[in-house]
């Protein structure tokens, strides 16, 4: 989350669980997407922008080599704050720090590392600034998730994956937090984006002066 920044297995719940297990078996979705699939909701909220779905990610283990530091820091944010999210939502999360690079004086840096490590900005780094690399991943499941995070980070940094948030510099999960800035008159109203599972878990926003 940026700052200044079970369903029961009965009836419809069991049906969703059965479908999710089937989709995993067919390789259509990964285990990391089950929660999002089970909890998807139709919400009365419009997306920030028409979402463009990133290409299907098929990597099965984390790349052995990380291209650059910015990529690694973005992947860590995605792994720590959005590991359960769909690729398009991961892209939205990754674009928040990238979009902040357009306003270095406001957000405290000209690199992803500078922006995300600024105090009280990205909650996953507030109390633990440990940066994971592919070699630190211990389980096969986490390796798949981290590989997806790295691939999305690369796509966002290169521009291959377009911004689904229309320039957002802030995000939060309304089910887990209620940051003060989300209600500020200086902010564009936070919106969720469309994913293949429904609407995103996170809502995205930006300051009105940021265009």
């Amino acid at each position: 989350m940026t700052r200044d920044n079970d369903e029961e297995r009965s009836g419809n719940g069991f049906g969703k669980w059965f479908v999710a297990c089937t989709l995993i078996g067919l390789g259509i979705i990964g285990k990391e997407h089950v929660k999002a699939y089970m909890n998807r909701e139709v919400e009365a909220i419009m997306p920030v922008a028409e979402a463009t779905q990133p290409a299907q990610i098929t990597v099965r283990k984390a790349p052995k080599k990380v291209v650059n530091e910015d990529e690694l820091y973005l992947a860590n944010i995605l792994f720590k704050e959005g590991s359960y999210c769909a690729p398009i939502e991961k892209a939205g999360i990754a674009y928040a720090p990238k979009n902040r690079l357009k306003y270095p004086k406001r957000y405290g840096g000209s690199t992803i590392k500078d922006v995300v490590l600024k105090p009280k900005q990205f909650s996953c780094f507030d109390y633990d600034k440990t940066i994971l690399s592919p070699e630190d991943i211990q389980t096969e499941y986490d390796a798949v998730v981290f590989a997806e995070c790295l691939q999305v980070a690369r796509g966002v940094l290169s521009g291959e994956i377009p911004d689904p948030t229309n320039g957002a510099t802030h995000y939060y999960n309304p089910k887990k937090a209620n940051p003060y800035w989300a209600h500020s008159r200086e902010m564009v109203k936070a919106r969720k984006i469309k994913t293949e599972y429904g609407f995103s878990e996170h809502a995205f926003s930006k300051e009105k002066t940021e265009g």
Side-chain angles (χ1 to χ4, degrees):
M1 180 189 75
T2 53
R3 297 191 176 179
D4 175 291
N5 133 160
D6 295 305
E7 191 168 349
E8 293 182 353
R9 294 181 181 178
S10 60
N12 188 46
F14 180 83
K16 285 186 177 181
W17 175 77
F18 179 81
V19 172
C21 291
T22 302
L23 293 176
I24 292 174
L26 293 174
I28 297 174
I29 66 172
K31 292 180 181 179
E32 67 273 20
H33 296 145
V34 173
K35 180 179 178 181
Y37 180 85
M38 295 289 289
N39 294 331
R40 61 183 180 179
E41 300 172 350
V42 178
E43 303 185 32
I45 187 169
M46 294 298 292
V48 173
E50 189 64 28
T52 301
Q53 178 62 41
Q56 183 66 34
I57 293 172
T58 57
V59 176
R60 291 304 174 195
K61 61 180 180 179
K64 295 181 179 179
K65 185 177 180 180
V66 176
V67 175
N68 58 54
E69 191 174 56
D70 281 354
E71 175 186 292
L72 189 58
Y73 275 86
L74 272 187
N76 269 261
I77 288 179
L78 299 182
F79 187 72
K80 293 178 178 181
E81 297 200 357
S83 61
Y84 57 90
C85 297
I88 189 72
E89 186 171 353
K90 285 185 174 73
I93 292 171
Y95 262 103
K98 182 183 179 182
N99 288 334
R100 290 188 178 200
L101 297 180
K102 302 174 185 177
Y103 315 97
K105 292 183 178 179
R106 180 178 299 169
Y107 293 115
S110 56
T111 68
I112 295 293
K113 178 181 178 179
D114 291 339
V115 168
V116 302
L117 292 185
K118 187 177 180 182
K120 298 182 181 181
Q121 297 301 305
F122 291 85
S123 56
C124 65
F125 290 128
D126 277 351
Y127 306 105
D128 182 5
K129 291 181 170 55
T130 302
I131 303 301
L132 300 172
S133 65
E135 293 76 18
D136 298 320
I137 306 303
Q138 301 297 317
T139 69
E140 182 178 354
Y141 171 76
D142 283 344
V144 172
V145 177
F146 197 76
E148 181 174 295
C149 293
L150 275 173
Q151 192 157 347
V152 171
R154 288 177 180 176
V156 167
L157 288 172
S158 68
E160 181 181 352
I161 299 176
D163 186 354
T165 70
N166 193 28
T169 52
H170 294 65
Y171 66 86
Y172 73 106
N173 186 334
K175 295 180 180 180
K176 297 181 179 181
N178 186 29
Y180 75 89
W181 56 259
H183 310 286
S184 171
R185 293 182 179 180
E186 298 179 358
M187 302 293 293
V188 175
K189 186 178 180 180
R191 304 287 189 183
K192 295 190 173 186
I193 59 176
K194 291 179 180 179
T195 79
E196 62 265 48
Y197 308 118
F199 284 98
S200 60
E201 294 282 327
H202 295 80
F204 301 86
S205 185
K206 60 184 177 181
E207 292 190 20
K208 292 179 179 179
T209 57
E210 294 171 349

